[in-house]
Amino acid sequence: MNEDESEEPGGATDANDAGSPGDDLTHTDERGEVQMVDVGAKPDTARRAVAAGEIHLSPGTVAAIRDDALSKGDVLATARIGAVQAVKHTWETIPMCHQIPITNVETAFAVEDDRVTAEVAVETTGKTGCEMEALEGVTTGLNVVWDMVKAAEKDADGQYPGTRIENVRVVSKEKRSL
Amino acid sequence: MNEDESEEPGGATDANDAGSPGDDLTHTDERGEVQMVDVGAKPDTARRAVAAGEIHLSPGTVAAIRDDALSKGDVLATARIGAVQAVKHTWETIPMCHQIPITNVETAFAVEDDRVTAEVAVETTGKTGCEMEALEGVTTGLNVVWDMVKAAEKDADGQYPGTRIENVRVVSKEKRSL
Amino acid sequence: MNEDESEEPGGATDANDAGSPGDDLTHTDERGEVQMVDVGAKPDTARRAVAAGEIHLSPGTVAAIRDDALSKGDVLATARIGAVQAVKHTWETIPMCHQIPITNVETAFAVEDDRVTAEVAVETTGKTGCEMEALEGVTTGLNVVWDMVKAAEKDADGQYPGTRIENVRVVSKEKRSL
Amino acid sequence: MNEDESEEPGGATDANDAGSPGDDLTHTDERGEVQMVDVGAKPDTARRAVAAGEIHLSPGTVAAIRDDALSKGDVLATARIGAVQAVKHTWETIPMCHQIPITNVETAFAVEDDRVTAEVAVETTGKTGCEMEALEGVTTGLNVVWDMVKAAEKDADGQYPGTRIENVRVVSKEKRSL
Amino acid sequence: MNEDESEEPGGATDANDAGSPGDDLTHTDERGEVQMVDVGAKPDTARRAVAAGEIHLSPGTVAAIRDDALSKGDVLATARIGAVQAVKHTWETIPMCHQIPITNVETAFAVEDDRVTAEVAVETTGKTGCEMEALEGVTTGLNVVWDMVKAAEKDADGQYPGTRIENVRVVSKEKRSL
Amino acid sequence: MNEDESEEPGGATDANDAGSPGDDLTHTDERGEVQMVDVGAKPDTARRAVAAGEIHLSPGTVAAIRDDALSKGDVLATARIGAVQAVKHTWETIPMCHQIPITNVETAFAVEDDRVTAEVAVETTGKTGCEMEALEGVTTGLNVVWDMVKAAEKDADGQYPGTRIENVRVVSKEKRSL
């Protein structure tokens, strides 16, 4: 139970509120105007957020990635680097996000029979959470995979009938005092 | 049928190949090393790519976005701007993408009963396609929506049990000579 | 009286100096060479700076913005977002500025009969002030307004005879110990 | 008379319209939603825009800048570089601006008795105008001057009672066929 | 012999001048003020520049990179990606550089007994050369290698007594009409 | 002896290890996959790193820089600014670097008979070192010098037979408790 998440009043204002989502929007004020959230009075805490998602690919593409992974591995290396860079750039990608000091990023890409899965964990010591950073890492990491396999995934008309990014979610979000 | 997609040999090398995806990876060379694709010899053509996706939200959050949309509308305005900016930044987000002159971006966000859908169309006059730009617009636009409704979507433990980005896909990809 | 503003020796070195501006330039050393200011030995303090300015527009343009504000409001929403992003990018826009952790940004745009006014407040917890961030927010926010009303403001020759950004100033600058 | 400025319908839709500003907002569509302008069908033309503005300073500060200009000159050199960089970054600073190929930037800063004036000319060969680029160059260039003279301009309370950026305007905007 | 390099008058103003370098500075005007070069009147040409350099490392570090290259190869993959990204960012890294459309980047890193060598080729179709892009690719690529082997290269006092980047040069620079 | 450099285990794991470089690579994990280093558990310390390097130039070019330095000095002012900006951008240039709060940057460029030397000192208060920031400042600063003297350095064929960046090194690296 994260009782002092003043940035995110939804479930946090009252423990009895569990299960009933709040109805306030985080980044708009009482006039409906978009705003940054004031985090100046919040203490520094250690935060960790993990997000995950997957890209569905044709069997031929998965085989090509596996071949590459067995030899050089640059496809997944590029996705890992793209994910880390996206995490660090979240403050400019997501307009109302704060600049926070990222202390750790862990990326895990796995090649399954009909998809590549991505999991990105982000840690920070600061005044606000880092789930947006983890989500940006996942979606950009999966987009990088897409970019790397464009030739293999396209059909004869240059379209992508089967390629899909699915199931992008926040796996967990933790906070502990310093 | 886009017969001269030399960047993307998958379906393009042979028209008879329709339906059978190629097995080459776009951005790795014969040694498996990551590389940019040489587009210097390709003619300028008019390109358009449309991508789409959706974020599943709780009914309470959807109601809050609708209230906001009826009054100020800053939630979706922020998502539209985030999507346009993400389109323009694709060359630095996706490591192997080229800098291309974007001539048009159209964004359409729709609020449905249990989700917000996003569609982003990108047009360019250049030597390479723009589906990665459209995909970046969609995934970042949906992440911005997530960021704007964090308070409403979180449960009492600060988690997002029902929030999901799903069905991110390339709707269409076109090219015509100038 | 901010007695320990070692970064900014002008009025601060001596209280008797009030009213007589200092003659040192902040970012050039004794040889006249541009330099960053060393803030490593300065304690973290809570800072707030407010800047303001205005853009003069034709009555027809003001009416169009009011119509838009009554319905969707995307003109001013875009300006608000542009201002927030400019605040966060000041460290790269102004060459000698430090990267500082912005904890809060408040933007207020008001539509008057012949102008739009902008006020941007920035707060940080750090080793240096944030008036440059507030000024960047104001000037970029006003430039975004200009960009959004280009069609309405231009005369038949494509010129802007009456459009002006005026009165850009620092309204206040505060500092308090943590 | 620039008759084909389809991006900017204000004065351009009708030559008889001279003097009566249009009432359409450039970057919002019929639903009031913010949008980029489609420039794909526009021919490449040679464009030049000149913007100007000034920063009012105390006599002591002006004297300090003149001293610096006589020796090293890094104050104005930094402002020139900041202006050029701001011109090149306009596509990311102003949300709805296109990425355009800047072919030339000219900056002129002049030190007068109670102010520094800035004029920035921008040239491009492309599908859309460059007055926003020139305006960004002027306002950022003047903000850089402010940053460089903070110590000299502040009073004993750390405030800026007399510092002002004024009269930011588009001096001229030209277009000619290639 | 590149006779029309008006941007770079050094050797180009006169063919008889071969061997005697010019004495003009590219980016300062007659008053010594820094400026961008006007390339608006220059025709589009196909350009290619190749730069190279090397980082000297201890034998133990070279062995570690070779081990990595035999298995995953992420050290050199990261350097390749860093080099490509640096090429694309040159317009903001080098203040007076233009934004140019990069059509191709080729990177080649080789592991020798006591060093890693880097060669970066850049191609563009535009109005100005791309040797600065190639140089930025080489120096950043080598810095990325340094970053990846910090642990192996440091001595017991945390210093780098033997690590050196050397011999950074432009290997060739070509231009041909379109 | 910096005994707690857990980020950089090379020489630091054991004082007896002095002189024998470690064999671990900093940014790859046990599977050889590129990763950021977790610095969350490290205390904030005051860090300083100094890097240096030089660019070899023809005597005519050196004379032109000296002339410029005697009058306006914009060549070296531009290099100083480029170096400071490169220091601040290291977190995005070097993929696995953290965003750290730079508290001070000192740049020193010296014009010698056949070269320009650069030394860049960087200070931070944080959880990780700043030698990569200092190296980026040096290499980019020297590349800026190259860019500014392109006309003077090129021979009649547009090549750079004698221009070289050499001897880029970390001069010192210090850490002290707060």
Side-chain angles (χ1 to χ4, degrees):
Chain A
M1 174 63 218
N2 62 342
E3 64 285 293
D4 70 343
E5 281 270 305
S6 59
E7 177 200 356
E8 300 123 77
T13 40
D14 184 6
N16 299 329
D17 221 30
S20 91
D23 56 8
D24 284 341
L25 299 186
T26 311
H27 287 307
T28 47
D29 62 16
E30 68 282 359
R31 290 163 311 214
E33 294 182 359
V34 63
Q35 62 173 0
M36 217 178 185
V37 173
D38 182 2
V39 300
K42 301 177 77 173
D44 281 343
T45 49
R47 314 262 190 156
R48 178 182 170 91
V50 182
E54 56 203 44
I55 181 168
H56 293 244
L57 300 167
S58 73
T61 302
V62 168
I65 296 174
R66 281 186 167 144
D67 284 351
D68 174 76
L70 288 176
S71 57
K72 272 281 177 181
D74 277 12
V75 171
L76 295 187
T78 308
R80 278 189 287 271
I81 292 168
V84 170
Q85 294 284 58
V87 165
K88 292 191 284 182
H89 278 89
T90 302
W91 64 271
E92 53 186 5
T93 314
I94 308 293
M96 294 302 125
C97 275
H98 296 79
Q99 292 148 305
I100 59 174
I102 310 287
T103 55
N104 191 26
V105 181
E106 297 164 4
T107 64
F109 287 80
V111 184
E112 302 188 2
D113 284 352
D114 60 349
R115 72 195 70 184
V116 171
T117 64
E119 188 172 278
V120 174
V122 178
E123 295 176 3
T124 182
T125 304
K127 298 175 189 305
T128 184
C130 50
E131 66 265 46
M132 294 316 304
E133 280 75 9
L135 285 164
E136 274 289 299
V138 166
T139 55
T140 296
L142 294 172
N143 278 339
V144 173
V145 172
W146 196 317
D147 183 52
M148 301 294 281
V149 302
K150 283 193 299 192
E153 274 295 289
K154 283 202 295 188
D155 70 10
D157 290 322
Q159 307 299 318
Y160 300 92
T163 325
R164 288 286 182 285
I165 293 174
E166 302 276 10
N167 202 17
V168 176
R169 63 203 184 276
V170 173
V171 174
S172 66
K173 189 166 180 303
E174 299 162 35
K175 185 170 67 168
R176 76 185 151 72
S177 304
L178 291 177
Chain B
M1 173 63 218
N2 62 345
E3 62 287 287
D4 69 346
E5 283 271 304
S6 58
E7 177 198 358
E8 299 122 78
T13 39
D14 184 5
N16 300 328
D17 220 31
S20 90
D23 56 8
D24 284 340
L25 299 186
T26 311
H27 288 307
T28 47
D29 63 16
E30 67 283 358
R31 289 163 312 212
E33 294 183 359
V34 64
Q35 62 173 0
M36 216 179 187
V37 173
D38 182 2
V39 300
K42 300 177 77 174
D44 282 342
T45 49
R47 313 264 188 155
R48 177 181 171 93
V50 183
E54 56 203 45
I55 181 169
H56 292 245
L57 300 166
S58 73
T61 301
V62 168
I65 295 174
R66 282 186 167 144
D67 284 352
D68 175 75
L70 288 176
S71 58
K72 274 282 178 182
D74 277 14
V75 170
L76 294 188
T78 308
R80 279 190 285 273
I81 292 168
V84 171
Q85 294 283 59
V87 166
K88 292 191 285 183
H89 278 89
T90 302
W91 64 270
E92 53 187 3
T93 314
I94 308 294
M96 293 303 125
C97 274
H98 297 80
Q99 292 147 306
I100 59 174
I102 310 287
T103 56
N104 192 27
V105 182
E106 297 163 5
T107 62
F109 287 80
V111 183
E112 302 188 3
D113 285 352
D114 60 349
R115 71 193 72 182
V116 171
T117 63
E119 188 173 281
V120 175
V122 178
E123 294 176 4
T124 183
T125 304
K127 298 176 188 306
T128 184
C130 51
E131 66 264 46
M132 294 317 304
E133 281 74 11
L135 285 164
E136 274 289 300
V138 166
T139 55
T140 296
L142 294 172
N143 278 340
V144 173
V145 172
W146 195 319
D147 183 52
M148 301 294 283
V149 302
K150 283 192 299 190
E153 275 295 289
K154 284 202 294 189
D155 69 10
D157 289 324
Q159 307 299 318
Y160 300 92
T163 324
R164 288 286 183 286
I165 293 174
E166 301 275 10
N167 202 18
V168 176
R169 63 203 182 277
V170 173
V171 174
S172 66
K173 188 164 182 303
E174 298 160 37
K175 184 171 69 168
R176 75 184 153 73
S177 304
L178 291 177
Chain C
M1 175 63 219
N2 62 344
E3 63 286 294
D4 69 345
E5 281 273 305
S6 58
E7 178 200 356
E8 300 124 77
T13 40
D14 184 6
N16 299 330
D17 220 30
S20 89
D23 57 8
D24 284 340
L25 300 186
T26 311
H27 288 307
T28 46
D29 62 16
E30 67 283 0
R31 289 162 312 213
E33 294 182 359
V34 63
Q35 62 173 1
M36 217 178 186
V37 173
D38 182 2
V39 301
K42 301 178 75 174
D44 282 343
T45 49
R47 314 262 188 156
R48 177 181 171 92
V50 182
E54 57 204 43
I55 182 169
H56 292 244
L57 301 166
S58 73
T61 302
V62 168
I65 296 175
R66 280 185 169 145
D67 283 352
D68 175 75
L70 288 176
S71 58
K72 273 281 178 181
D74 277 13
V75 171
L76 295 187
T78 308
R80 280 190 285 273
I81 292 168
V84 170
Q85 294 283 59
V87 165
K88 292 191 285 183
H89 278 89
T90 302
W91 65 271
E92 52 187 4
T93 315
I94 309 294
M96 293 302 126
C97 275
H98 297 80
Q99 292 148 305
I100 59 174
I102 310 286
T103 55
N104 193 26
V105 182
E106 297 163 4
T107 63
F109 287 80
V111 184
E112 302 189 2
D113 284 353
D114 60 349
R115 73 195 68 183
V116 171
T117 63
E119 188 173 280
V120 175
V122 178
E123 294 177 3
T124 182
T125 303
K127 298 176 188 304
T128 184
C130 50
E131 66 265 45
M132 294 316 305
E133 280 75 9
L135 285 165
E136 274 289 300
V138 166
T139 54
T140 295
L142 293 173
N143 278 339
V144 173
V145 172
W146 195 319
D147 183 52
M148 301 294 283
V149 302
K150 282 192 300 191
E153 274 294 288
K154 283 203 294 188
D155 70 11
D157 289 323
Q159 306 299 318
Y160 301 90
T163 324
R164 288 287 182 286
I165 292 174
E166 301 276 10
N167 202 17
V168 177
R169 63 204 183 276
V170 173
V171 174
S172 66
K173 188 164 181 304
E174 298 161 38
K175 185 170 68 169
R176 79 185 149 71
S177 303
L178 290 177
Chain D
M1 175 64 217
N2 61 343
E3 63 286 290
D4 69 345
E5 280 272 305
S6 58
E7 178 200 356
E8 300 123 72
T13 40
D14 184 7
N16 299 329
D17 220 29
S20 89
D23 56 9
D24 285 340
L25 299 186
T26 311
H27 287 307
T28 48
D29 62 16
E30 68 283 359
R31 290 162 312 211
E33 294 182 358
V34 64
Q35 61 173 0
M36 216 179 188
V37 173
D38 182 1
V39 300
K42 301 178 76 174
D44 282 342
T45 49
R47 315 261 189 155
R48 177 182 171 92
V50 183
E54 55 203 45
I55 181 169
H56 292 245
L57 300 166
S58 73
T61 302
V62 168
I65 296 175
R66 280 185 168 145
D67 284 353
D68 175 75
L70 288 175
S71 57
K72 273 283 176 180
D74 277 14
V75 171
L76 295 186
T78 308
R80 278 190 287 271
I81 292 168
V84 170
Q85 294 284 58
V87 165
K88 292 191 285 182
H89 278 88
T90 302
W91 64 271
E92 52 187 5
T93 315
I94 309 294
M96 294 302 125
C97 274
H98 297 80
Q99 293 147 304
I100 59 174
I102 310 287
T103 55
N104 192 25
V105 182
E106 297 163 4
T107 63
F109 287 79
V111 184
E112 300 189 3
D113 284 353
D114 60 350
R115 73 195 68 185
V116 171
T117 64
E119 188 173 279
V120 174
V122 177
E123 294 176 3
T124 182
T125 303
K127 298 175 188 305
T128 185
C130 51
E131 66 265 44
M132 293 317 304
E133 280 75 9
L135 285 164
E136 274 288 300
V138 166
T139 55
T140 296
L142 294 173
N143 278 340
V144 173
V145 172
W146 196 318
D147 183 52
M148 301 294 283
V149 302
K150 283 193 299 191
E153 274 294 288
K154 283 203 292 188
D155 69 10
D157 290 322
Q159 306 299 319
Y160 300 91
T163 325
R164 287 287 182 285
I165 293 175
E166 301 275 10
N167 202 17
V168 177
R169 63 204 184 277
V170 172
V171 174
S172 67
K173 187 163 181 306
E174 298 161 37
K175 184 171 67 168
R176 78 186 150 71
S177 305
L178 291 177
Chain E
M1 174 64 219
N2 62 344
E3 63 285 287
D4 69 345
E5 282 270 306
S6 58
E7 177 199 359
E8 299 124 74
T13 40
D14 185 7
N16 299 329
D17 221 30
S20 90
D23 56 8
D24 285 339
L25 299 186
T26 310
H27 287 308
T28 47
D29 62 16
E30 69 283 359
R31 290 163 311 213
E33 294 183 359
V34 64
Q35 62 173 358
M36 215 177 187
V37 173
D38 183 2
V39 300
K42 301 177 77 174
D44 282 343
T45 48
R47 314 263 189 155
R48 178 182 171 92
V50 183
E54 56 202 44
I55 181 169
H56 292 244
L57 300 166
S58 72
T61 302
V62 168
I65 296 174
R66 281 185 166 145
D67 283 353
D68 174 75
L70 287 176
S71 56
K72 274 281 175 182
D74 276 13
V75 170
L76 294 187
T78 307
R80 279 190 286 272
I81 292 169
V84 171
Q85 294 283 60
V87 166
K88 292 191 284 181
H89 278 89
T90 302
W91 63 272
E92 53 187 3
T93 314
I94 308 294
M96 294 302 124
C97 274
H98 296 80
Q99 292 148 306
I100 60 173
I102 310 288
T103 55
N104 192 27
V105 182
E106 297 163 4
T107 64
F109 287 80
V111 184
E112 301 188 2
D113 285 352
D114 60 350
R115 73 194 69 184
V116 170
T117 64
E119 187 173 280
V120 175
V122 178
E123 294 176 2
T124 183
T125 304
K127 298 176 189 305
T128 184
C130 50
E131 67 264 46
M132 294 315 305
E133 281 75 9
L135 285 164
E136 274 288 299
V138 166
T139 54
T140 296
L142 293 172
N143 278 339
V144 173
V145 172
W146 195 318
D147 183 52
M148 301 294 282
V149 302
K150 283 193 299 192
E153 274 294 289
K154 284 203 293 188
D155 70 10
D157 290 321
Q159 307 299 319
Y160 299 92
T163 324
R164 288 285 184 286
I165 293 175
E166 302 275 10
N167 202 18
V168 176
R169 62 203 185 276
V170 173
V171 174
S172 67
K173 188 165 180 303
E174 298 161 36
K175 184 169 69 167
R176 77 186 150 72
S177 304
L178 291 176
Chain F
M1 173 64 217
N2 62 345
E3 63 286 295
D4 70 345
E5 282 270 304
S6 59
E7 177 199 359
E8 300 123 76
T13 40
D14 185 7
N16 299 329
D17 221 29
S20 90
D23 57 7
D24 284 342
L25 300 186
T26 310
H27 288 307
T28 48
D29 63 16
E30 67 283 359
R31 289 163 312 215
E33 294 183 359
V34 63
Q35 62 173 1
M36 216 178 188
V37 173
D38 182 2
V39 300
K42 299 176 76 174
D44 281 342
T45 49
R47 313 263 189 156
R48 178 182 171 91
V50 183
E54 57 203 44
I55 181 169
H56 293 244
L57 300 166
S58 73
T61 301
V62 168
I65 295 174
R66 281 185 168 144
D67 284 352
D68 175 75
L70 288 176
S71 57
K72 274 279 177 180
D74 276 14
V75 170
L76 295 187
T78 307
R80 279 190 286 271
I81 292 168
V84 170
Q85 294 284 59
V87 165
K88 292 192 284 182
H89 278 90
T90 302
W91 64 271
E92 52 188 3
T93 315
I94 308 294
M96 294 302 126
C97 274
H98 297 79
Q99 292 148 305
I100 59 173
I102 311 287
T103 55
N104 193 26
V105 182
E106 297 163 3
T107 63
F109 286 80
V111 184
E112 302 188 3
D113 284 352
D114 60 349
R115 72 194 72 184
V116 171
T117 64
E119 187 173 280
V120 175
V122 178
E123 294 176 3
T124 183
T125 304
K127 298 176 189 305
T128 184
C130 51
E131 67 265 45
M132 293 317 304
E133 281 75 9
L135 285 165
E136 273 289 299
V138 166
T139 54
T140 296
L142 293 172
N143 278 340
V144 173
V145 172
W146 195 318
D147 183 52
M148 301 293 283
V149 302
K150 283 192 299 191
E153 274 294 288
K154 283 202 295 188
D155 69 10
D157 290 323
Q159 307 299 318
Y160 300 92
T163 325
R164 288 286 184 285
I165 293 175
E166 301 275 11
N167 202 19
V168 177
R169 62 202 184 276
V170 173
V171 174
S172 66
K173 188 166 181 302
E174 299 161 37
K175 185 171 68 168
R176 75 185 152 72
S177 304
L178 290 178

